[in-house]
Amino acid sequence: MMRSIRKAAVIGSGVMGSAIAAHLANAGIPSLLLDIVPKQLTEEEAAKGLTLEHPAVRSRLAVQAIAKLKKTKPAPLYDDTFAERITPGNLEDHLAQIADVDWVIEVIVENLDAKKELLSKIEAHWKEGTVVSSNTSGISINAMSADCGEAFKRHFLGTHFFNPPRYMKLLEVIPGEHTDPAIVSGMKQFCENRLGKGVVLAKDTPNFIANRIGTYGLLVTLQEMQEKGYRVEEVDAVTGPALGRPRSATFRTLDLVGLDTFVHVANNVYENVSDEAEKAVFAESPVLRGMVDKGWLGEKSGQGFYLKKKGPNGSEILSLDFSTMDYVPQKKVASASLEAAKLAKGAREKTKALLGAGDRYSELAWNILKKVLVYSAAKLGEIADSIREIDEAMRWGFGWELGPFETWDAIGLVRSVERMEAEGTAVPGWVKEWIAQGNTSFYKKQDGAAFYVHGGQYKELETAPEVISLRSLKEQNRVVKSNSGASLIDIGDGVACLEFHSPNNAIGADILTMIQQSLDEVRSNYNGLVIANQGRNFCVGANLMILLMEAQDEEWDEIDSIIRLFQNTMYKVKRFEKPVVAAPHRMTLGGGVEACMPADQIVASAETYFGLVEVGVGLIPAGGGCKEMALRVSQHAAHPDADLQPYLNQAFETIGTAKVSTSGHDAFKLGLFKPTDRIVINQDHLIHEAKQSVLRMVQAGYEPIREEKIRVAGSDGKAVMQLGAYSMRQSGYISEHDVKIANKLAHVLAGGDVPAGSLVTEQYMLDLEREAFLSLCGEPKTQQRMQHMLSKGKALRN
């Protein structure tokens, strides 16, 4: 058994090392962050009279790295205060302290000799039971530990985090030939449960799994482009979302990664493989080498395959012309294949549409894809034991919506292999043998279970008990009720899950109707309800298109009816006689927040971006959001003589500036979560954890939330908030229409024109919300803001 990891040490405080320490801090794991002792003073240190022996100088690199975490974007920390969980130090004065940690992570320069020297120093202070790992992106784990003792080797392995560690799901765990299997399984479990990672087990081969295949794919794309004369922007148009890949596609990805980094990674494969055909692909590209020599490294140097240039009409992004090596204006990329892919839904259908149109972009996609698929199949057994690990590595590490073998199934395994062989492409023998046995896919579903090819036969796809897949449950006919916007699904143990599945999960009458029907069903047949889904985002708000259309037609009674339905539905959720837990993730905005607030508890993903953003379209929250914030203000200042104003001002600022939390933890600071709400770091475990919360409430003898009166600040508190809005207008920070919205918001949050300290009902507050919302809907400038958001996807300041 591997011992529990309660404290860690990270050696190397560069971008990656400090970010790993930050993510450990996110997970509640304190760590030492150690680096070398500087050999020169900075000008600031010299001015202070410090010497190279001063402790502040000796640990400067780690101290600076920790300070930088709070300024880095995207933020490596869920909360800036978590930086306090990282202790800076240096390798000469503090290395002995690793005897008191449970995990040491090496994150220094990618150089075998340097890593071997460091491991020797670590082993001198190492205590048996402590796990030691390297974050190397491709250097051999066995070569690194070759000179270490047997006990040390049993505790040593690779843990390759993808950058940035907070946001990238993939973690490749690479056992050495001597690594204790218990350490491997223990680390896999720890990294999944505590760090929220998607862990794949990789073989100790050059660049492991994701970088091996991803680098190959990028290189064959570059070669195809040069051979056939495609432009940079053409390649990116084909190899992005049209092929189920990220928007950064090929060349934007290279610019983000850094061309020097990419050349180093590719060279690592070239130097460590023996197959001549493979070496030829990974051989250094003259184009890439030339760009690196010129300092065209991508985003970090300001130019790479793309260059942002300021012109008389604003900024323009130019692309590199390989024939002249000059930057030129991009040309519009359009074709039947790209249009077909754009119209198709889902990565499977998009890929098939792109390949099926028969134009030059279809040809480009096919020529790249077939090489990647064949290469992935050829590397099975060498870089990983199963196709599942290869597919997961590419989805989690490179953002592909489908892994190579999932893609192969999507385009038709048998048909595509026939085409490959007809074109002279050599297909690995095991793939042909698999097809010869009568199989038509690498994955299949049967009797509610999923299978994948492994060892020449289908093996059942096992999932951890903490992972609940709503898609799988629906395939098992566990849907209880459904309409166009939402479904109620039986997730076992007497708990049902309400899933939104409208476009963008926007809340409309269909979802509200299904919520009410779900409450009726749960009342009769279940112990409790979870509100969750597994879409890209939890919910982007109410259906703005319908609202704008009604406002433009001046259908005020219809808008009033819609808002009443929303308010009444959320009120029923809050007063429901059985426990309700909301489980939001990623973007949860406006009405999505209001769908969560009435729940007994919110169990949120750590990556939840939560905010009442209605002012961005010229409105205020009216589905109970203002009422709930006013209630929390009242609860914070529970004593009758306590001052409401400080809490009220914070709520006014949070809603009035459309603040969105930068994490689940940040939502607590904004007052959007209650103290009893919880955060789950692994989003795959979110619905399971929400279900467990429901069951705990049931076991404890659940009692519904009782209605309580809300103490409001009244006209006095309203005046304070309105004065703040007036001051911002006078300073030029906001527009006249912003002031109008702010005054309406202040009126609602303060409870209207009642005496300070008045006690009002929730329904009274809901009526204020609805009245303010309706009046703002009639404002032409609000309608302009709504139209702009729908057409441009961003807020209009008018």
Side-chain angles (χ1 to χ4, degrees):
M1 291 287 291
M2 188 186 83
R3 76 185 187 201
S4 298
I5 293 177
R6 293 161 295 182
K7 188 175 182 181
V10 179
I11 300 179
S13 67
V15 171
M16 198 65 188
S18 60
I20 290 172
H23 195 57
L24 290 170
N26 287 336
I29 307 293
S31 65
L32 295 169
L33 182 61
L34 308 181
D35 212 317
I36 60 173
V37 175
K39 294 181 179 178
Q40 288 184 319
L41 293 173
T42 64
E43 290 183 8
E44 185 180 359
E45 289 166 343
K48 290 180 179 179
L50 302 180
T51 69
L52 288 173
E53 297 307 310
H54 193 283
V57 175
R58 293 176 68 80
S59 298
R60 181 217 306 154
L61 296 179
V63 170
Q64 289 180 338
I66 295 169
K68 192 176 180 181
L69 290 174
K70 299 178 183 180
K71 302 173 184 177
T72 302
K73 300 295 179 186
L77 294 160
Y78 292 149
D79 187 307
D80 284 351
T81 62
F82 291 177
E84 297 168 7
R85 297 170 180 172
I86 309 172
T87 303
N90 66 75
L91 285 169
E92 293 181 18
D93 302 328
H94 306 108
L95 187 59
Q97 294 181 21
I98 66 170
D100 299 322
V101 307
D102 306 298
W103 182 16
V104 180
I105 313 170
E106 170 273 306
V107 200
I108 66 168
V109 63
E110 285 288 87
N111 178 279
L112 177 59
D113 291 337
K115 290 180 183 292
K116 290 181 73 172
E117 182 182 353
L118 177 59
L119 289 185
S120 176
K121 292 177 180 178
I122 291 172
E123 189 172 16
H125 299 283
W126 175 76
K127 286 188 177 179
E128 188 159 355
T130 300
V131 175
V132 181
S133 72
S134 172
N135 183 61
T136 179
S137 59
I139 295 177
S140 169
I141 300 303
N142 291 316
M144 245 186 276
S145 60
D147 299 333
C148 298
E150 292 302 312
F152 187 90
K153 288 179 181 178
R154 286 197 298 272
H155 291 77
F156 182 68
L157 72 166
T159 51
H160 179 212
F161 289 82
F162 271 59
N163 191 33
R166 168 182 164 180
Y167 301 95
M168 294 300 291
K169 184 172 180 176
L170 179 62
L171 174 65
E172 291 175 322
V173 168
I174 310 101
E177 59 184 342
H178 300 288
T179 310
D180 185 341
I183 297 292
V184 177
S185 61
M187 286 301 293
K188 183 177 187 295
Q189 185 176 24
F190 171 81
C191 292
E192 287 173 342
N193 295 340
R194 286 296 300 275
L195 302 185
K197 293 296 167 189
V199 176
V200 298
L201 297 180
K203 299 292 189 73
D204 188 18
T205 55
N207 291 11
F208 313 129
I209 302 174
N211 277 343
R212 182 74 168 270
I213 293 173
T215 304
Y216 178 89
L218 289 167
L219 287 169
V220 297
T221 300
L222 180 61
Q223 292 163 8
E224 184 71 15
M225 170 191 177
Q226 291 178 281
E227 288 175 11
K228 304 292 174 59
Y230 291 97
R231 301 190 310 274
V232 165
E233 61 267 32
E234 287 181 305
V235 172
D236 275 358
V238 171
T239 59
L243 203 56
R245 310 280 173 81
R247 292 188 182 278
S248 56
T250 298
F251 295 113
R252 290 190 191 281
T253 295
L254 284 169
D255 277 355
L256 289 168
V257 168
L259 271 66
D260 52 341
T261 301
F262 179 79
V263 167
H264 172 78
V265 171
N267 192 52
N268 187 54
V269 179
Y270 179 81
E271 292 180 347
N272 289 284
V273 298
S274 56
D275 181 81
E276 289 303 319
E278 187 173 10
K279 286 179 80 75
V281 174
F282 285 93
E284 187 170 82
S285 160
V287 170
L288 292 178
R289 172 44 58 192
M291 293 175 71
V292 170
D293 289 344
K294 289 180 180 180
W296 298 357
L297 307 180
E299 193 167 278
K300 61 186 173 184
S301 68
Q303 64 186 108
F305 289 99
Y306 292 95
L307 170 66
K308 189 173 184 179
K309 187 176 181 180
K310 290 184 178 178
N313 299 318
S315 295
E316 181 183 13
I317 298 176
L318 307 178
S319 63
L320 187 64
D321 183 336
F322 275 26
S323 63
T324 63
M325 293 306 286
D326 291 325
Y327 290 97
V328 297
Q330 296 183 58
K331 296 179 181 177
K332 185 176 172 118
V333 181
S335 75
S337 61
L338 292 172
E339 186 61 28
K342 185 178 180 180
L343 294 174
K345 291 186 177 180
R348 295 174 65 90
E349 296 306 315
K350 285 181 180 296
T351 303
K352 287 195 290 186
L354 178 63
L355 296 176
D359 59 23
R360 65 190 298 264
Y361 295 138
S362 294
E363 181 186 0
L364 172 62
W366 168 251
N367 287 340
I368 294 168
L369 191 59
K370 70 177 179 181
K371 292 175 183 176
V372 173
L373 299 184
V374 167
Y375 185 74
S376 300
K379 294 296 116 182
L380 182 66
E382 179 183 337
I383 63 174
D385 282 332
S386 81
I387 65 167
R388 184 186 179 192
E389 283 160 336
I390 293 175
D391 279 347
E392 287 176 336
M394 299 316 297
R395 284 193 281 108
W396 296 339
F398 275 73
W400 294 8
E401 291 188 51
L402 299 171
F405 297 97
E406 293 167 322
T407 301
W408 217 333
D409 279 359
I411 65 175
L413 173 60
V414 176
R415 184 172 61 253
S416 62
V417 167
E418 289 174 350
R419 180 178 175 184
M420 289 174 188
E421 293 194 299
E423 294 172 352
T425 300
V427 177
W430 75 266
V431 175
K432 294 194 288 184
E433 184 179 339
W434 180 248
I435 294 172
Q437 294 173 11
N439 299 299
T440 58
S441 64
F442 293 118
Y443 293 86
K444 73 171 184 177
K445 291 179 180 176
Q446 183 176 320
D447 300 327
F451 299 83
Y452 66 103
V453 60
H454 186 80
Q457 58 186 6
Y458 279 118
K459 178 180 179 181
E460 186 169 356
L461 190 65
E462 297 178 359
T463 56
E466 296 85 5
V467 177
I468 293 176
S469 167
L470 296 181
R471 176 183 292 181
S472 295
L473 291 174
K474 287 190 283 188
E475 289 171 352
Q476 297 168 31
N477 298 316
R478 300 279 285 276
V479 175
V480 181
K481 287 181 177 292
S482 186
N483 66 16
S484 60
S487 295
L488 185 69
I489 304 164
D490 186 336
I491 58 174
D493 300 315
V495 180
C497 177
L498 177 65
E499 176 202 33
F500 300 166
H501 48 64
S502 63
N504 294 317
N505 290 343
I507 296 175
D510 49 1
I511 286 181
L512 296 174
T513 299
M514 183 52 60
I515 292 174
Q516 298 213 28
Q517 291 179 359
S518 296
L519 295 178
D520 291 339
E521 181 69 28
V522 171
R523 181 180 293 112
S524 301
N525 299 309
Y526 291 87
N527 295 321
L529 177 67
V530 169
I531 301 175
N533 64 70
Q534 291 172 325
R536 178 173 177 78
N537 297 303
F538 177 79
C539 177
V540 297
N543 192 320
L544 193 60
M545 176 64 79
I546 291 177
L547 191 61
L548 176 61
M549 290 170 59
E550 299 290 1
Q552 289 175 334
D553 291 341
E554 298 185 358
E555 296 287 353
W556 311 123
D557 288 344
E558 185 62 31
I559 295 175
D560 182 76
S561 176
I562 292 170
I563 301 305
R564 283 181 187 272
L565 176 61
F566 200 159
Q567 290 181 341
N568 292 340
T569 301
M570 295 304 107
Y571 187 82
K572 288 181 179 179
V573 170
K574 187 165 186 178
R575 299 286 168 251
F576 192 53
E577 58 266 35
K578 294 185 178 181
V580 177
V581 173
H585 65 278
R586 293 187 61 83
M587 300 303 292
T588 304
L589 305 175
V593 171
E594 292 174 306
C596 295
M597 280 182 150
D600 295 282
Q601 186 180 40
I602 293 174
V603 176
S605 163
E607 297 298 345
T608 299
Y609 317 122
F610 204 77
L612 293 163
V613 297
E614 286 83 351
V615 297
V617 290
L619 299 167
I620 68 164
C626 289
K627 179 261 294 183
E628 285 296 316
M629 292 297 278
L631 176 59
R632 291 173 192 197
V633 167
S634 177
Q635 291 169 337
H636 277 304
H639 192 278
D641 297 327
D643 186 4
L644 292 167
Q645 200 69 50
Y647 302 105
L648 191 59
N649 291 345
Q650 182 188 3
F652 179 65
E653 181 183 351
T654 297
I655 301 174
T657 57
K659 284 187 178 179
V660 177
S661 71
T662 56
S663 68
H665 294 83
D666 190 45
F668 285 105
K669 295 175 75 172
L670 294 178
L672 295 167
F673 284 175
K674 303 186 295 290
T676 52
D677 293 336
R678 291 177 50 220
I679 302 297
V680 174
I681 201 165
N682 189 325
Q683 190 172 306
D684 292 341
H685 298 176
L686 188 60
I687 295 179
H688 170 81
E689 289 298 326
K691 174 183 168 182
Q692 295 308 117
S693 287
V694 168
L695 294 175
R696 281 192 291 270
M697 290 185 212
V698 171
Q699 189 175 14
Y702 175 75
E703 291 186 9
I705 298 173
R706 296 180 181 178
E707 182 165 358
E708 60 182 287
K709 292 288 184 71
I710 301 172
R711 188 163 70 93
V712 295
S715 54
D716 292 346
K718 170 183 170 180
V720 171
M721 290 184 281
Q722 291 181 335
L723 178 61
Y726 173 79
S727 299
M728 291 188 73
R729 173 59 185 151
Q730 292 301 109
S731 301
Y733 292 117
I734 60 177
S735 69
E736 284 292 346
H737 193 54
D738 290 326
V739 173
K740 182 173 288 188
I741 299 165
N743 287 340
K744 296 279 187 183
L745 176 61
H747 179 76
V748 175
L749 288 175
D753 294 315
V754 297
S758 295
L759 296 175
V760 301
T761 65
E762 290 190 36
Q763 187 58 55
Y764 169 83
M765 294 296 292
L766 291 173
D767 291 341
L768 289 181
E769 276 187 359
R770 193 174 64 259
E771 290 164 7
F773 188 92
L774 278 166
S775 68
L776 286 170
C777 280
E779 294 285 341
K781 288 190 175 181
T782 284
Q783 293 180 20
Q784 289 169 12
R785 291 189 179 194
M786 294 163 72
Q787 181 68 57
H788 193 268
M789 179 61 72
L790 287 168
S791 60
K792 304 293 186 182
K794 56 185 178 181
L796 171 68
R797 299 301 301 271
N798 58 353

